[in-house]
Amino acid sequence: MILMEHIIREGHPTLRTRAEEMTFPLTAGDRQLAENMLQYLINSQNPEIAEQYGLRGGIGLAANQINSLKRMFALHLEDEKGEQLSLVAINPKIVSHSVEKTYLSGGEGCLSVDRNVPGYVPRYARITAKFFTIDGEEQKIRLIGLPAIAFQHELDHLNGVMFYDRINEEDPFASIPDAAPFDRE
């Protein structure tokens, strides 16, 4: 079981290192790691389990964040229709995106960042992405709103990019051209 103590924090060099492509079939260890990452997110959103184990709530977790340079991340959140989106994306890529951008008006957070970093993080409002499942099946998915933002946040991790790298340093709350805020209910 992944706990907060297993999640590395900003300043650790692995968070700034590009993760390596994975090959199939996955090793038993890589399959277990993928399942554990997704289970952390599920556990972190369960108030009783989160309190029992001291877990910070999260909707996404990249392998870099648990000090593993593998190109995979897990997402566990509701989509724009209120349906559960729960997946592990291996070797993910964005194949197309909207011109329009979006951002969370309250800013983004990260399990590897123990401080509040104010500012807008520009993201594509809509994306089409491809990735492989843990069984090696290719998936193509269209995401909008929070799932699109979360996918881009985790993909950044795999490329050694932190969310605050995208915030305008001179004016963190400067308006973003062709962007509308996305607000979580």
Side-chain angles (χ1 to χ4, degrees):
M1 180 175 170
I2 295 174
L3 301 172
M4 285 306 297
E5 67 204 49
H6 301 121
I7 297 174
I8 60 176
R9 303 305 203 280
E10 62 180 321
H12 193 292
T14 300
L15 291 173
R16 292 300 191 173
T17 307
R18 185 177 167 83
E20 313 258 330
E21 291 276 321
M22 298 179 71
T23 55
F24 292 93
L26 295 183
T27 65
D30 286 345
R31 288 180 76 89
Q32 189 63 57
L33 182 63
E35 289 167 14
N36 288 350
M37 287 167 53
L38 185 56
Q39 193 59 52
Y40 173 89
L41 298 174
I42 294 166
N43 290 344
S44 80
Q45 293 176 34
N46 178 312
E48 292 83 32
I49 296 173
E51 185 178 350
Q52 181 181 355
Y53 292 102
L55 307 178
R56 272 178 51 202
I59 59 172
L61 182 64
N64 298 52
Q65 294 179 270
I66 46 176
N67 204 17
S68 175
L69 286 172
K70 313 242 179 205
R71 285 192 83 74
M72 73 172 159
F73 62 72
L75 290 179
H76 184 74
L77 70 163
E78 285 186 357
D79 68 14
E80 73 285 355
K81 296 177 190 126
E83 293 176 16
Q84 191 64 54
L85 177 66
S86 196
L87 61 88
V88 173
I90 298 172
N91 299 337
K93 291 177 175 57
I94 293 174
V95 293
S96 67
H97 59 77
S98 60
V99 171
E100 300 84 22
K101 299 240 171 94
T102 191
Y103 56 89
L104 295 176
S105 51
E108 291 184 19
C110 179
L111 292 168
S112 292
V113 179
D114 292 330
R115 62 193 173 98
N116 181 35
V117 183
Y120 299 149
V121 182
R123 303 284 187 191
Y124 298 116
R126 295 179 306 284
I127 62 170
T128 299
K130 280 186 178 177
F131 61 90
F132 292 92
T133 67
I134 60 174
D135 294 319
E137 295 169 23
E138 189 173 51
Q139 300 278 308
K140 189 174 183 181
I141 188 170
R142 288 180 48 91
L143 300 170
I144 66 171
L146 188 59
I149 291 168
F151 193 100
Q152 292 169 81
H153 177 112
E154 299 311 324
L155 186 58
D156 272 355
H157 273 302
L158 300 184
N159 293 322
V161 176
M162 299 295 284
F163 76 91
Y164 48 75
D165 297 342
R166 297 190 178 279
I167 296 173
N168 179 332
E169 281 184 38
E170 275 83 57
D171 186 357
F173 295 100
S175 76
I176 300 164
D178 297 317
F182 178 84
D183 293 305
R184 293 185 259 198
E185 284 79 55

